[in-house]
Amino acid sequence: MSHKTREELDAAASEVLAALLVKKADTGLKNRDRLNFPQQDMPSQDPLERRHNMQEVTFGYTEAQALVEAERCLQCKNAPCIAGCPVAIDIPGFIREITGKDFARSIGVIKEASLLPAICGRVCPQESQCQENCTLGKSLKDQEKSVSIGRLERYVADLDRASGAVSIPKIAPSTGRRVGVIGSGPASITAAADLRKAGHEVVIFEAFHKPGGVMLYGIPEFRLPKQIVEDEIETLRKMGVEIKTNFLVGRTRKLMDLLEKDGFDALFIGSGAGLPKFMHIPGENLVGVFAANEYLTRSNLMKAYDEGHADTPISHSKKVAVLGGGNVAMDAARTAIRLGAEEVNVVYRRTRKEMPARVEEVDHAEEEGITFHFLRSPTRILGDENGHVRGIECLSYELGEPDDSGRRRPVAVAGSESVIEVDTVIVSIGNDSNPLLRKTTPELNVNKWGNIIADDNGKTSIDRVYAGGDIVLGAATVILAMGQGRKAAAAINEMLAREAVEPVPSGTGSGL
Amino acid sequence: MHKIIEKQQLSEQVFRMKIEAPLIATERKAGQFVILQLDTNFGERIPLTIADADAAEGTVTIIFQAVGKTTINLSRYEVGQSIANVLGPLGNPTHIEKFGTVVCVGGGIGVAPMHPIAQAMKQAGNRVIIIMGARTKELVIMEEEMRAIADELILVTDDGSYGRKALVTEPLKELCAQTDGKPDLVVAIGPPVMMKFCAATTRPFSVPTVVSLNTIMVDGTGMCGGCRVTVGEETKFVCVDGPEFDGHQVDFENMLKRLGSYRGQEERARHACVLDAEADKLAALQTGASK
């Protein structure tokens, strides 16, 4: 596979752009023209180089690329892309501003709906959201050829960041009400910002020593630079949101105490999915078997990849098996490569098509030399005499009838066991909900998977307590979490506004 | 930031610190622990049990052995300095009720987390027998505090330099073998090997035995799964399911191996840390000499 440099991509785009602009000035662009403009590839670090560093893989579009890509948009009246966006960004609107080179207005359009465009432009699964329904992709009979909405979003978001003029939203006059936000991931950041904008005092409670949630401990630097997350947190601080780290609600303080003793008028729970799932196969507790959460947290949050500085150790693996096919599995596999593994195998029980990971991450992983074993599922992990992993036994599968999710169910092929020799196994098959909050808050209703039950507005079984993000959805995405945070914040704002008109007794207000 | 209010060296490697942590002091119960980190950017997070707390004063007491990079560094902190991050209280509190006779076995530094448990067991109306063991006399900690709680205190050292020359399992076995009034519950906290043998000692007598596990952990809130142990064929997380488990069900062999996961790297880090200290000492000596 030949890797094109950013300069090469830019030169090609500039050529297309020049011709395009002449035609646009002459006769105007027809839909037929737009269908023919080449989709712009994302410039990225050479795979052979990036395998050895933690820097961001992708560079983002050049201006010429962004302008060409934006002209691919058909500006459809019915805009099916908007329906695919969990926060309903006016997608044709922001793309139109790009074609007019008014990048400031373009980011303004996005920010009306999304608080974290630099993050979502990087980590959203666009191919299953906005880009899935894109008319251009449909016309070209290839949804992968849809307008690269995410890359355009990132382009204007990065320009905005680089301009240094990141604006602090306007804060309404103080209402004197206090809202606590539990967790500091995407759902919580969004909720906190919207609640603060309404003039409430907002306190975020984060269990870790740094705020940012999954964007900090889970998603690696090479996919989402931590500086971006830190800047978003800084914006919250500048808005006057207070952030208490090392504060585990349920343990450091009970949830009900925050409401009943500490003077909070409402709470939003955005504490995330939590507990890693295991496969319950023999050998899972051998030395060298990790949950992806642990492996990634060591590398990302604890900076174990920076061995010269970090105190936290991480396994020096040579041959690795990663179990699972989601984004987290891709992150773990690509982290292992960067930490010096010679061989990384992703074992997934369905086929490439069914992988829940973003297409771009799978492509990147492949470019970096990761081996995929499709239609294989582990039956046991083998250990040596020291209790250390020495291999993983897998069974082969073939696809049978579709299951409830509409994906064809893999069926085991009897007698097809084979062993992959590895010294490390990283289990990345999702998360169960963390039991801590429900155990310490019996009033909180949860479903059979332990996820908090909330209505469309995020309201839980406890009055004044709302929830959103993975703790409600199970493992989902940054943008879905944001959407839920936003809805819950709107509901809390409405409740508190109603009470301002017809006052009710609030908490005792002892403060913290 | 959590200011260090008091510091005491209990033995060559063992230190006691009282630190400011008002919320943890209020909420903590016997059996719980904290996770601390000295440097927010690059420090490691380590679990330490809470030896005592004073809610009115807003302090918790930790006792630790300076054996790894972080604990060695922490042992060099002085009164007035602050620890960057302390999270807690973590883990489930010890199940306290009136069992009858409770034998509390504390080995080495395990005496520290045993202190609040023994105290709570006593307050619940139990007859509390404490067995405390150490390798040698210098390593015996908190004798006075434990004596103040115990209905009976049995002190043993491996080398016989203080108390009885025995391992903790010997008096434990004698207590279990009593025809009248064998213990209703044993709680054992100490090095993993000691807990393993305590469980093996009480098993033939069917005396329920609780052990408190201190495994590798990153977050301490259920997120990372690094602390998992096999308990009765099931995988449990020490941080959210524990830290206390039925000692007769714990797979100690597996736990001991998992504890050694990063031994090579930890050893190098500790070594570098000790070398740093030696270099500092040398530098100090040289500056002293040159004055």
Side-chain angles (χ1 to χ4, degrees):
Chain A
M1 188 176 331
S2 71
H3 177 79
K4 286 207 180 75
T5 65
R6 185 189 209 181
E7 289 67 33
E8 287 164 348
L9 290 170
D10 186 50
S14 301
E15 223 169 276
V16 174
L17 182 65
L20 170 165
L21 289 175
V22 170
K23 182 149 199 197
K24 193 175 182 181
D26 264 8
T27 62
L29 296 173
K30 301 252 172 13
N31 277 357
R32 203 177 46 242
D33 300 317
R34 298 184 193 279
L35 253 64
N36 287 328
F37 296 144
Q39 184 184 34
Q40 297 300 299
D41 286 336
M42 179 58 118
S44 59
Q45 280 194 68
D46 189 318
L48 296 177
E49 270 169 42
R50 70 182 192 235
R51 289 182 55 161
H52 305 292
N53 68 52
M54 280 287 166
Q55 276 117 55
E56 191 170 16
V57 166
T58 53
F59 297 120
Y61 277 162
T62 65
E63 184 178 294
Q65 283 190 291
L67 292 173
V68 172
E69 191 64 30
E71 292 292 1
R72 296 179 70 228
C73 175
L74 302 174
Q75 294 289 329
C76 339
K77 289 273 178 311
N78 61 343
C81 47
I82 300 181
C85 174
V87 296
I89 294 173
D90 175 6
I91 293 165
F94 95 79
I95 295 181
R96 192 162 48 239
E97 300 298 348
I98 296 180
T99 62
K101 288 180 86 164
D102 194 340
F103 304 121
R105 259 173 77 179
S106 176
I107 191 69
V109 171
I110 297 175
K111 282 189 175 172
E112 279 168 27
S114 169
L115 189 75
L116 310 168
I119 294 172
C120 293
R122 286 172 166 79
V123 302
C124 259
Q126 289 94 4
E127 65 267 15
S128 59
Q129 297 182 344
C130 51
Q131 292 173 202
E132 185 174 33
N133 301 318
C134 173
T135 314
L136 182 82
K138 290 219 164 107
S139 310
L140 294 169
K141 299 199 168 41
D142 181 357
Q143 271 339 102
E144 285 191 26
K145 292 268 187 289
S146 294
V147 177
S148 305
I149 299 166
R151 294 170 184 174
L152 289 172
E153 177 184 28
R154 171 181 166 174
Y155 178 73
V156 287
D158 283 357
L159 276 185
D160 183 49
R161 280 171 46 77
S163 74
V166 173
S167 56
I168 305 302
K170 225 176 122 203
I171 310 292
S174 171
T175 61
R177 309 305 292 275
R178 295 181 91 203
V179 185
V181 173
I182 301 167
S184 63
S188 296
I189 290 178
T190 309
D194 285 358
L195 291 162
R196 180 69 193 125
K197 278 192 257 181
H200 311 308
E201 197 183 310
V202 177
V203 183
I204 286 181
F205 300 102
E206 165 57 45
F208 265 129
H209 52 277
K210 278 184 189 172
V214 69
M215 299 184 291
L216 215 59
Y217 72 75
I219 305 176
E221 177 76 19
F222 58 80
R223 197 150 78 82
L224 177 63
K226 299 307 143 219
Q227 189 60 50
I228 297 177
V229 182
E230 279 160 26
D231 289 349
E232 296 298 348
I233 297 285
E234 194 48 40
T235 304
L236 280 185
R237 285 206 170 99
K238 283 188 184 144
M239 288 168 69
V241 172
E242 189 191 345
I243 300 175
K244 285 182 188 286
T245 51
N246 302 309
F247 196 114
L248 179 62
V249 176
R251 287 280 186 229
T252 309
R253 200 82 175 127
K254 300 272 185 299
L255 182 125
M256 293 311 282
D257 285 346
L258 292 175
L259 278 180
E260 290 165 0
K261 298 183 184 162
D262 300 335
F264 283 94
D265 298 293
L267 296 174
F268 173 76
I269 306 171
S271 53
L275 223 63
K277 273 189 202 166
F278 286 89
M279 308 203 52
H280 306 292
I281 55 173
E284 217 153 28
N285 291 343
L286 288 166
V287 180
V289 183
F290 305 95
N293 280 2
E294 180 185 0
Y295 192 73
L296 289 171
T297 301
R298 285 178 182 273
S299 179
N300 299 333
L301 177 72
M302 309 309 292
K303 306 239 176 287
Y305 65 82
D306 188 353
E307 255 192 317
H309 294 103
D311 292 343
T312 302
I314 194 160
S315 167
H316 291 171
S317 310
K318 295 276 172 262
K319 293 183 174 184
V320 180
V322 177
L323 313 182
N327 286 316
V328 178
M330 296 305 103
D331 288 344
R334 299 170 70 198
T335 297
I337 281 277
R338 284 162 173 76
L339 292 176
E342 292 155 8
E343 186 189 305
V344 178
N345 303 279
V346 170
V347 179
Y348 181 54
R349 66 193 191 106
R350 301 179 193 248
T351 69
R352 187 184 182 113
K353 210 172 73 203
E354 285 89 17
M355 282 177 81
R358 297 175 79 219
V359 170
E360 187 174 271
E361 309 312 330
V362 182
D363 291 346
H364 282 158
E366 203 161 47
E367 286 167 19
E368 288 163 14
I370 283 153
T371 311
F372 288 85
H373 303 262
F374 295 113
L375 291 168
R376 300 275 283 282
S377 184
T379 44
R380 58 188 176 128
I381 302 169
L382 311 168
D384 63 16
E385 64 282 6
N386 300 317
H388 200 289
V389 174
R390 69 171 173 83
I392 180 161
E393 185 189 79
C394 300
L395 199 59
S396 292
Y397 283 71
E398 50 192 29
L399 287 182
E401 296 301 307
D403 64 10
D404 296 346
S405 69
R407 300 184 296 182
R408 288 176 66 192
R409 189 194 301 272
V411 183
V413 180
S416 64
E417 289 90 349
S418 62
V419 172
I420 308 173
E421 277 178 30
V422 291
D423 54 42
T424 301
V425 174
I426 302 172
V427 183
S428 178
I429 56 165
N431 286 292
D432 283 324
S433 68
N434 192 310
L436 191 68
L437 212 48
R438 65 173 189 264
K439 262 171 45 185
T440 56
T441 319
E443 301 90 337
L444 196 59
N445 286 352
V446 297
N447 65 18
K448 64 174 171 177
W449 299 282
N451 297 117
I452 296 176
I453 298 173
D455 70 11
D456 284 349
N457 291 320
K459 193 172 186 310
T460 69
S461 54
I462 306 176
D463 197 28
R464 301 176 173 275
V465 178
Y466 291 71
D470 281 2
I471 188 71
V472 172
L473 296 165
T477 59
V478 168
I479 188 82
L480 280 171
M482 275 181 49
Q484 291 215 319
R486 171 143 283 180
K487 258 195 189 159
I492 295 172
N493 284 338
E494 196 191 308
M495 172 184 80
L496 295 179
R498 214 168 40 233
E499 290 176 359
V501 185
E502 333 153 19
V504 294
S506 71
T508 51
S510 68
L512 263 179
Chain B
M1 297 296 269
H2 300 263
K3 202 184 205 176
I4 299 166
I5 306 295
E6 280 176 35
K7 176 187 176 184
Q8 260 177 296
Q9 186 161 6
L10 302 184
S11 71
E12 196 196 334
Q13 287 186 325
V14 178
F15 296 82
R16 183 209 307 251
M17 279 181 182
K18 194 186 252 192
I19 54 177
E20 268 178 11
L23 289 172
I24 302 173
T26 309
E27 293 287 329
R28 73 93 210 190
K29 294 199 170 64
Q32 292 186 299
F33 63 95
V34 293
I35 280 191
L36 63 80
Q37 184 194 33
L38 301 181
D39 178 275
T40 302
N41 287 316
F42 292 109
E44 67 179 330
R45 296 165 61 93
I46 58 161
L48 288 177
T49 39
I50 302 171
D52 204 355
D54 185 332
E57 199 183 58
T59 61
V60 297
T61 300
I62 50 170
I63 293 182
F64 62 93
Q65 199 164 5
V67 286
K69 179 164 183 188
T70 302
T71 44
I72 292 173
N73 278 339
L74 180 60
S75 72
R76 295 181 193 141
Y77 276 47
E78 297 301 337
V79 170
Q81 276 182 281
S82 290
I83 300 171
N85 299 300
V86 182
L87 169 68
L90 299 171
N92 296 305
T94 308
H95 177 68
I96 303 287
E97 63 168 72
K98 189 172 174 186
F99 294 96
T101 299
V102 177
V103 178
C104 296
V105 188
I109 190 146
V111 172
M114 186 57 84
H115 176 248
I117 296 172
Q119 210 167 30
M121 287 296 183
K122 180 73 195 166
Q123 273 163 13
N126 291 290
R127 178 164 180 263
V128 174
I129 302 174
I130 295 174
I131 303 175
M132 49 191 282
R135 249 187 11 256
T136 183
K137 187 182 176 188
E138 275 62 53
L139 301 177
V140 173
I141 58 166
M142 301 182 80
E143 185 190 343
E144 242 169 80
E145 289 95 324
M146 298 307 268
R147 220 171 260 289
I149 300 165
D151 289 292
E152 187 185 340
L153 185 131
I154 304 164
L155 207 152
V156 299
T157 51
D158 295 5
D159 62 359
S161 54
Y162 194 50
R164 179 173 157 189
K165 181 177 190 304
L167 298 172
V168 291
T169 44
E170 292 169 46
L172 179 62
K173 189 174 177 183
E174 290 157 17
L175 291 170
C176 290
Q178 281 171 4
T179 41
D180 53 334
K182 74 173 179 184
D184 297 288
L185 179 75
V186 169
V187 185
I189 308 180
V193 176
M194 182 208 91
M195 292 191 280
K196 176 185 154 182
F197 283 106
C198 284
T201 302
T202 58
R203 186 179 286 116
F205 300 98
S206 303
V207 176
T209 300
V210 171
V211 293
S212 178
L213 306 182
N214 188 344
T215 49
I216 290 174
M217 258 178 219
V218 184
D219 62 302
T221 68
M223 198 275 286
C224 84
C227 65
R228 65 195 193 279
V229 286
T230 313
V231 182
E233 308 288 299
E234 264 184 90
T235 292
K236 296 279 183 191
F237 287 13
V238 171
C239 65
V240 291
D241 299 319
E244 294 177 1
F245 294 99
D246 176 353
H248 296 153
Q249 301 283 321
V250 172
D251 181 345
F252 283 103
E253 291 308 315
N254 179 246
M255 179 185 137
L256 282 160
K257 281 170 184 155
R258 288 186 60 80
L259 276 169
S261 298
Y262 297 100
R263 192 146 288 151
Q265 289 165 70
E266 281 163 358
E267 189 47 37
R268 277 193 294 281
R270 191 192 68 81
H271 200 68
C273 190
V274 171
L275 283 180
D276 275 355
E278 292 300 320
D280 285 352
K281 269 191 215 158
L282 268 178
L285 277 176
Q286 278 164 358
T287 4
S290 66
K291 265 179 194 164

